[in-house]
Amino acid sequence: MVERNGPIDILLVEDNPGDERLTREALTEGKVYSNLHWAKDGVEALEFLRRKGKYAAAPRPDIILLDLNLPKKDGREVLSEIKGDDDLKRIPVVILTTSKAEEDVMRTYNLHANCYVTKPVDLEKFIVVVKSIDAFWLTVVTLPNGR
Amino acid sequence: MAKVRVARRQREDAETASLRDALAALRDSEERFRAVVDSANEGILVYDRKLLVTAGNIAAERIVGLPLAQLIGKAGFTSQLPCVREDGAPLLPEERPTRITIRTGLPLTDHVIGIVRPEGTTTWLSVNTAFLRRPGELEYYGIVSTVSDITARRQAEAALRESEERFRLTFELAASGIAHVGLDARFLRVNRSLCDILGYSQEELVGRSVKDVSYLDDRDLTDSQRRRVRRGEVESARFEKRYVRKDGSIVWVDLAIALARDSAGVPQYEIAIFDDITERKHAEAALRQAHEELKRSNAELAQFAYVASHDLQEPLRMVSSYTQLLVRRYGDKLDGNAQEFMAYIVDGAARMKQLIEDLLAYSRVGTRSREFHQVAVEAPLRRAINNLRASVEEAGASITYDALPTVEADELQLSQLFQNLIGNALKFRSASVPRIQILAKEAAHEWEFTVKDNGLGIEPAYFERIFMVFQRLHNKGEYPGTGIGLAICKKVVERHGGRIWVESQLGEGSSFRFTLPKNQGEQ
């Protein structure tokens, strides 16, 4: 575990404002000391990561929460660009999936996501998920090839 | 005078001697002739001018069937025995060969008549006649007639004719088109069915090249098959090809070709048999198309189920999560009713989430399944039992199983199958300690597996219904679950080419049975 003093910078790549707000609330409820940055689609996410345009001053996130269903550039493409970029590939990526089925499909692409999390319907469970981001992928998350 | 007498006697003696010699020579000649006549295979009868028989040989006796004594001095056998013409009509007196000869003044050659025997059979004779004339005389003094028995020859000819007629009829009436094709690829003979298949008349086809009616793209195929037959690589060849009918339409034909050779093995012509399979081809194409359509629509449906269930989850999560957030943040400001209503919202959303997940799992049995491998059935069974460990321990259940075979299957799906069946047995247990047995029975082409429990049992009325999606027999309060488990079992078993059913009595436990083929290749 890396020693950390300030809040962790989280980049959430998600097109649904409801989910963005929910993640923010869950971080609050879970008392996770963090800055949540929000990219609404894949193009924005890569601009943020590469500090392009309005994101010139963007911090390098400690972790990326990546939704799969995104407009313009979907999560799979974003992931493959991140993992193909020497500068970015070390940032842990948590794939947010809607179902176990979606996770299975993603795994077949073998894109080296750090872990997969199925978004729970239950708020309590979601808070647990978000809290675990703080403790990093130790509890709820499933490690690739580690099932 | 005496001298003269002596000379005369001498002359007379000489004449006598020469006459004696001549007579002796004549006698010799006649004996030789008689011997030749008697030993001849053909019957010979000699008639005088009045057409009375004056002589005959042994063969004539045998062939005609009358002793010579009965013939000599009479008008010949045609007047004594019932005779017929070649066409079977009774022989009239003026039609007797000897009379015809005299009337026409011409000898007869191979003139056929028959003698009808008392037992009804006919002896067929070939008769030749000739006039007998003395040297230097124009007028004849008799007629010689030779007869030979051609009954056997006639029978052979008739048999051949019958056989040819049989084959001609077979050729002509066959439902298949038949053609004899010359080595120059021209039709020599065609039957009616072939004319029907190709839409040409017999006259139009005979002499025409087979290539004229062959579908252009299929000609090479025919040529290569024909070469194999001609070279003797194969005795016959059978293949499907197209022909163009006279009206321009295309006809599919199942064609068989073979080569007719003479006794020396030299190819004479080709025998070709045509069966019109156009309808079958169309049916096959229609079936293929329907199959493609079905595959596409199934894929669409699977895609639809996936997308629908996936996209349904997001709004659901919003409903559920924000309601919970509301309770969490503002619960103390809400009264009991509001709390209860919120609880129903959350519960409803959770159940819907489960339904969607189950539906997705069900649709994935067909769409996201793995290939079949050899699976020792015990492995997925153990995995299923292991996954159910908590429930097994909680129920204090005993699970036993037979020696289990190896089958060709999707191992993950088998494990899911056992997990659902054993899970049900645990869930619907009776008051007694659950005992679950897994049995395997071998049949000719398949294995029959049984998951037997001592649980609640099921009424026969529900035997079919329990395998349908979201069909439940108990209310949600008693037994949670969406009712997808057995539907998934059915889909898994059917995907493996097997059957699943249940045997049960209420209160007596249930036996869920399913079959798996030994070899998927036999499906």
Side-chain angles (χ1 to χ4, degrees):
Chain A
M1 210 68 219
V2 180
E3 284 296 322
R4 186 189 310 284
N5 300 316
I8 53 172
D9 282 299
I10 301 171
L11 173 63
L12 173 68
V13 191
E14 167 68 73
D15 67 319
N16 180 3
D19 267 320
E20 186 269 334
R21 179 66 196 267
L22 199 61
T23 308
R24 204 174 286 283
E25 294 301 334
L27 287 168
T28 308
E29 291 290 324
K31 301 183 174 62
V32 178
Y33 184 35
S34 62
N35 288 325
L36 185 69
H37 308 275
W38 181 27
K40 289 183 202 61
D41 59 52
V43 174
E44 253 186 56
L46 286 163
E47 281 173 357
F48 182 96
L49 289 167
R50 288 172 180 152
R51 299 189 175 103
K52 287 192 177 149
K54 61 176 174 176
Y55 298 113
R60 179 188 167 89
D62 296 302
I63 190 164
I64 300 167
L65 304 182
L66 178 62
D67 185 49
L68 283 180
N69 300 290
L70 296 169
K72 293 183 190 170
K73 205 168 242 181
D74 73 19
R76 191 165 56 86
E77 291 172 277
V78 174
L79 181 61
S80 117
E81 282 201 38
I82 291 171
K83 292 303 169 186
D85 186 318
D86 282 341
D87 189 33
L88 302 175
K89 69 179 176 195
R90 270 177 247 285
I91 305 175
V93 179
V94 175
I95 304 290
L96 301 172
T97 60
T98 312
S99 66
K100 212 72 182 152
E102 197 177 43
E103 180 185 326
D104 286 353
V105 175
M106 270 305 286
R107 281 183 188 282
T108 62
Y109 293 114
N110 203 12
L111 289 171
H112 309 289
N114 295 79
C115 64
Y116 293 88
V117 172
T118 305
K119 294 179 194 169
V121 168
D122 192 88
L123 179 74
E124 297 297 334
K125 284 187 187 155
F126 193 46
I127 292 168
V128 172
V129 167
V130 165
K131 270 173 124 168
S132 73
I133 288 164
D134 188 34
F136 210 34
W137 57 90
L138 287 178
T139 45
V140 179
V141 297
T142 341
L143 287 169
N145 312 316
R147 311 218 284 174
Chain B
M1 257 328 261
K3 238 176 158 182
V4 170
R5 267 205 308 271
V6 169
R8 201 166 76 198
R9 183 172 304 146
Q10 280 174 340
R11 198 176 66 237
E12 279 171 6
D13 285 351
E15 276 174 1
T16 308
S18 98
L19 193 61
R20 201 174 49 235
D21 288 351
L23 279 171
L26 192 63
R27 204 168 47 242
D28 284 355
S29 160
E30 194 176 320
E31 267 166 23
R32 266 203 308 277
F33 181 67
R34 166 65 53 190
V36 168
V37 167
D38 280 348
S39 66
N41 231 341
E42 293 191 312
I44 300 172
L45 291 164
V46 181
Y47 297 82
D48 61 15
R49 278 185 65 98
K50 287 183 205 144
L51 294 183
L52 298 177
V53 177
T54 57
N57 66 350
I58 303 159
E61 245 182 8
R62 176 172 50 79
I63 292 168
V64 170
L66 290 174
L68 274 180
Q70 213 177 306
L71 283 166
I72 304 244
K74 304 267 174 57
F77 68 92
T78 48
S79 61
Q80 297 186 48
L81 298 170
C83 290
V84 290
R85 301 191 308 213
E86 189 173 12
D87 62 9
L91 190 76
L92 303 173
E94 62 269 27
E95 289 170 339
R96 293 176 188 162
T98 43
R99 294 211 189 171
I100 295 172
T101 309
I102 290 167
R103 190 168 66 246
T104 59
L106 296 168
L108 290 177
T109 308
D110 198 19
H111 185 81
V112 176
I113 61 168
I115 303 170
V116 181
R117 301 301 181 190
E119 67 271 21
T121 57
T122 304
T123 304
W124 291 100
L125 306 177
S126 167
V127 182
N128 289 1
T129 58
F131 289 104
L132 292 171
R133 288 188 180 89
R134 296 206 173 83
E137 288 180 13
L138 282 175
E139 200 55 41
Y140 69 93
Y141 68 86
I143 285 176
V144 65
S145 162
T146 61
V147 290
S148 45
D149 187 340
I150 56 164
T151 310
R153 193 184 87 197
R154 294 259 307 183
Q155 278 167 349
E157 281 170 0
L160 187 63
R161 258 197 314 279
E162 270 173 41
S163 159
E164 276 183 349
E165 177 64 7
R166 265 200 303 276
F167 279 104
R168 193 191 64 77
L169 270 178
T170 310
F171 180 86
E172 206 45 51
L173 299 180
S176 298
I178 307 177
H180 292 168
V181 178
L183 301 181
D184 60 355
R186 287 179 191 284
F187 286 111
L188 297 172
R189 280 171 291 278
V190 295
N191 71 348
R192 264 177 261 165
S193 293
L194 184 60
C195 294
D196 292 343
I197 290 171
L198 296 178
Y200 287 94
S201 69
Q202 250 159 351
E203 294 70 33
E204 285 171 323
L205 279 182
V206 171
R208 186 184 284 264
S209 171
V210 176
K211 290 188 188 337
D212 284 358
V213 291
S214 284
Y215 187 68
L216 198 60
D217 291 359
D218 294 349
R219 279 188 201 166
D220 289 349
L221 170 75
T222 321
D223 287 345
S224 70
Q225 295 283 2
R226 175 169 287 137
R227 272 196 298 277
R228 295 178 64 217
V229 175
R230 291 255 175 112
R231 284 200 209 105
E233 289 169 26
V234 287
E235 202 183 329
S236 64
R238 189 168 169 182
F239 51 99
E240 293 177 359
K241 62 167 294 194
R242 284 161 288 182
Y243 287 89
V244 182
R245 289 170 54 88
K246 190 181 182 183
D247 63 13
S249 60
I250 285 170
V251 58
W252 269 101
V253 164
D254 178 355
L255 182 68
I257 54 175
L259 209 52
R261 298 171 188 272
D262 65 10
S263 52
V266 179
Q268 300 296 299
Y269 57 88
E270 197 174 84
I271 302 164
I273 303 193
F274 304 69
D275 279 307
D276 186 343
I277 54 165
T278 309
E279 261 180 53
R280 195 191 86 201
K281 281 283 176 187
H282 287 169
E284 277 173 8
L287 196 64
R288 231 183 351 260
Q289 200 186 338
H291 184 71
E292 285 303 314
E293 198 94 332
L294 195 64
K295 249 168 64 184
R296 195 178 50 71
S297 111
N298 266 347
E300 245 171 41
L301 207 60
Q303 181 66 15
F304 173 79
Y306 177 79
V307 168
S309 27
H310 181 272
D311 290 353
L312 281 173
Q313 304 228 27
E314 209 158 281
L316 199 59
R317 211 174 52 252
M318 295 296 103
V319 171
S320 172
S321 301
Y322 279 100
T323 312
Q324 284 176 299
L325 193 59
L326 210 55
V327 174
R328 203 181 163 97
R329 289 271 172 85
Y330 309 103
D332 50 357
K333 296 187 180 75
L334 298 171
D335 66 7
N337 276 337
Q339 298 255 9
E340 196 187 337
F341 298 165
M342 300 262 212
Y344 278 124
I345 297 175
V346 171
D347 180 50
R351 275 219 310 278
M352 185 150 172
K353 159 103 180 158
Q354 193 55 54
L355 283 169
I356 291 168
E357 282 285 352
D358 287 351
L359 205 53
L360 202 53
Y362 179 75
S363 84
R364 272 155 45 94
V365 171
T367 54
R368 300 213 42 82
S369 40
R370 289 146 212 252
E371 281 182 25
F372 294 161
H373 296 286
Q374 290 295 325
V375 177
V377 175
E378 193 179 332
L381 174 62
R382 287 172 75 115
R383 186 208 296 248
I385 295 171
N386 193 47
N387 289 348
L388 292 165
R389 203 169 40 206
S391 320
V392 173
E393 281 168 9
E394 186 228 308
S398 82
I399 301 178
T400 55
Y401 51 88
D402 277 359
L404 297 170
T406 293
V407 295
E408 212 176 313
D410 178 333
E411 185 168 352
L412 273 179
Q413 290 192 342
L414 277 199
S415 146
Q416 194 177 8
L417 176 62
F418 280 119
Q419 191 170 329
N420 289 1
L421 292 177
I422 296 168
N424 275 356
L426 292 168
K427 188 163 155 188
F428 301 105
R429 61 179 182 256
S430 62
S432 42
V433 174
R435 273 183 290 106
I436 301 165
Q437 286 172 279
I438 293 94
L439 313 162
K441 197 170 84 186
E442 187 170 9
H445 300 290
E446 59 187 20
W447 283 93
E448 186 187 297
F449 298 89
T450 303
V451 177
K452 186 178 185 326
D453 65 45
N454 60 341
L456 294 175
I458 302 160
E459 283 182 66
Y462 303 121
F463 283 0
E464 299 275 330
R465 191 170 154 169
I466 53 172
F467 291 102
M468 291 153 125
V469 176
F470 297 148
Q471 291 295 327
R472 304 162 39 89
L473 299 182
H474 305 273
N475 70 49
K476 294 184 183 65
E478 284 176 312
Y479 296 97
T482 57
I484 199 77
L486 288 175
I488 288 179
C489 288
K490 184 165 192 270
K491 206 165 169 187
V492 166
V493 170
E494 284 175 356
R495 184 179 163 245
H496 284 77
R499 291 160 288 125
I500 187 167
W501 68 99
V502 66
E503 287 163 16
S504 178
Q505 282 291 323
L506 201 60
E508 308 262 313
S510 306
S511 289
F512 280 88
R513 300 189 198 280
F514 63 90
T515 62
L516 293 177
K518 282 182 182 168
N519 193 330
Q520 290 294 338
E522 288 172 17
Q523 284 302 295

